[in-house]
Amino acid sequence: MSAMPALATPAQGSHTVRSLAIVETKRLARHPVFLLGALATAVLVPMSGGVSDDYYNATITAGFFLGLFSMIAMFRLTRSMDRAQAALDPTPAAQRERTLALCLAGLLPALLSIPAFLATYALSEASAPWALGGFDTGERLAIFFGNIVMAGIGGPLLGVAAGRWLRFPGAVVALTVGVLFWVLLGEGLGTGQHDATWSAVLRMMTPWTQFTSVESDLNQLEVWRGSPYFYLGWLACLCVLAVLGALLKGAEADARRTLLRTGFAVGLVGLDFVTLSVVLGPDVALLHTPTGVAPY
Amino acid sequence: MLLRGAPWRAPLGLAVGGWLLGGLGLALGGGSGVRVLQLAWLLLAGAAALTLDEPAAAAVDACPVTRARQLASRAALAAVPVLGGLLLLVGHPWAGPLALQLVGTTAVAFTAAALLRHRLDAPGEPVCAALVLAMVVLVGYDPVAERLPLYRGTLTGTTLWGVLLTLSTVALLIATRPRRWRTG
């Protein structure tokens, strides 16, 4: 424990966070996992576009390589600080500031995800009107934005939070398996229990989801329940919760209480978004075909 | 003695997680169940890689025990998660391909850790990170998964696993070569 952070003024604190954030961003920019993800996104996004029945699947590439790979990179960067803990303790930067700096470094993948989102949206084209699933332009943008940009923001933040809390060897496997299981469960429920409200609620609570599933051979698109607009609200709340969760580790009693209260409030707002997403979306899953729309 | 010094907590934790997830995959059944089982294999293979971490590397490296014996003792430990995973598959309709995927993934992870053990005292963590990246792409990203169908249960996939298992065997033989003395 150092007395120096307590003596630092808020202006000095924000200067420290800014300086550390620049250092962490440079470390992230050189991290091989992040570089691999960014390179794969740059190469594969232009290739995944074009005319297709599977219009919404194009979002997977950038979401996968930027979101998931950045999550792993940030997790490893955060964990790497454990090894340098003895050297870091006497420095003027408190753990809170180092955590905030790591979170700010997550802006790099977030910024990269914006051109990836624009390119994916611009290059993707549905082969026929039924392949759009009845979503208007705004809803399509919300789906693409949620699956790409929010993944680029949320993935690294989750990596920081997990890096702060999961300190056992092999935690990177547990983290990735946990996230993928959460996503898979949501998709499995979307397919298996497509009309049940409980399954829609659970799917809308996942950190990444699709709203459709295509059967190209049958020329049909299943459109699942849920509003893409309100789902964005839930994703934003998850990002805030990840930052709060990361800050909670090692926080002192007063700060911990404030963080927990804020987290509780954000969680409630997030659940509101989930509820609105289910209530204001379609009541039943729909099947879009060249001949029209029918309940699934 | 070599087994007693093994770091068992992390591998056991991942293995138990893998078995539980595998059980859940069996309960789900169908295509979703298979994908969950493949996620469980990731945990079990990670557990196998972590068995080669050596908390007392400096002492172990100074012991008059061959690298082959060290690896053999840890391989016995690494077999535990795999055997548990294989037991889950008894009576499963796709037991053959899924068992091959489990054994193959574990063999590759263990071999990579054995090779890295020449340079690192705890090779488990970097191997786990690489394993996660490779497997999520090969299982979850269709454009790659279709070209390298290791987790699709196809004939091409079986052939590819055959090649990988052969390469792993050769690499393990290389990993058992006597270590050079550390000079600095």
Side-chain angles (χ1 to χ4, degrees), chain A residues 33 36 44 48 60-61 64-65 68-69 72 75-76 79 168-174 176-177 180-181 184-185 187-188, chain B residues 10 14 21 24 28 32 35-36 39-40 42-43 46 50 53 125-126 128-129 131-133 136-137 140-144:
Chain A
V33 175
L36 195 64
L44 295 172
S48 65
I60 292 176
T61 303
F64 190 82
F65 285 104
L68 199 66
F69 278 50
I72 294 170
F75 175 83
R76 287 185 60 79
R79 283 286 303 276
F168 53 90
V172 67
V173 181
T176 314
V177 167
L180 290 177
F181 177 68
L184 272 180
L185 190 69
E187 288 204 1
Chain B
L14 283 191
L21 194 62
L24 201 59
L28 279 173
S32 304
R35 292 182 98 180
V36 172
L39 282 182
L42 185 51
L43 286 168
L50 287 171
D53 282 6
E125 191 72 23
C128 280
L131 180 71
V132 160
L133 291 176
V136 292
V137 171
Y141 189 63
D142 283 345
V144 176

Side-chain angles (χ1 to χ4, degrees), chain A residues 226-284:
Chain A
S227 156
Y229 292 128
F230 289 102
Y231 179 65
L232 287 181
W234 164 247
L235 292 180
C237 290
L238 276 185
C239 292
V240 178
L241 285 174
V243 175
L244 294 173
L247 289 171
L248 196 62
K249 181 73 179 176
E252 289 177 8
D254 283 351
R256 174 176 284 263
R257 215 171 298 125
T258 311
L259 286 169
L260 285 173
R261 273 196 208 128
T262 315
F264 185 70
V266 174
L268 282 181
V269 173
L271 289 179
D272 282 346
F273 277 118
V274 170
T275 310
L276 287 171
S277 173
V278 174
V279 171
L280 298 179
D283 291 337
V284 290

Side-chain angles (χ1 to χ4, degrees), chain A residues 1-2 25 37 42 61 64 67 82 98 100 102 113 123 127 142 182 201 211 229 241 246 248 261-263 269 295:
Chain A
M1 288 292 290
S2 164
T25 306
T61 303
F64 190 82
D82 288 355
R98 294 201 295 269
L100 280 174
L102 281 166
S113 66
L123 294 172
S127 58
W182 192 1
V201 169
F211 288 80
Y229 292 128
L241 285 174
L248 196 62
R261 273 196 208 128
T262 315
V269 173

Side-chain angles (χ1 to χ4, degrees), chain B:
Chain B
M1 185 181 120
L2 287 168
L3 264 182
R4 208 187 315 159
W8 56 270
R9 282 189 186 182
L12 185 68
L14 283 191
V16 170
W19 295 329
L20 289 175
L21 194 62
L24 201 59
L26 290 182
L28 279 173
S32 304
V34 169
R35 292 182 98 180
V36 172
L37 276 168
Q38 288 168 333
L39 282 182
W41 294 174
L42 185 51
L43 286 168
L44 297 179
L50 287 171
T51 58
L52 282 169
D53 282 6
E54 193 57 82
V60 171
D61 287 352
C63 286
V65 178
T66 61
R67 180 73 79 179
R69 199 171 149 221
Q70 284 179 17
L71 278 181
S73 69
R74 295 301 166 87
L77 197 63
V80 175
V82 183
L83 289 175
L86 291 175
L87 278 178
L88 285 173
L89 290 176
V90 175
H92 194 280
W94 297 307
L98 284 169
L100 181 63
Q101 290 163 19
L102 170 60
V103 173
T105 309
T106 309
V108 170
F110 186 80
T111 306
L115 288 170
L116 263 186
R117 178 66 185 82
H118 279 275
R119 300 214 168 262
L120 300 173
D121 295 341
E125 191 72 23
V127 169
C128 280
L131 180 71
V132 160
L133 291 176
M135 201 163 158
V136 292
V137 171
L138 287 167
V139 173
Y141 189 63
D142 283 345
V144 176
E146 281 159 11
R147 285 174 180 81
L148 285 171
L150 285 164
Y151 295 95
R152 295 287 165 109
T154 60
L155 191 63
T156 317
T158 308
T159 314
L160 283 172
W161 277 122
V163 173
L164 277 178
L165 283 169
T166 311
L167 287 174
S168 292
T169 311
V170 174
L172 261 182
L173 289 174
I174 293 169
T176 56
R177 76 184 189 276
R179 78 179 74 83
R180 289 183 191 149
W181 289 104
R182 292 182 180 183
T183 53

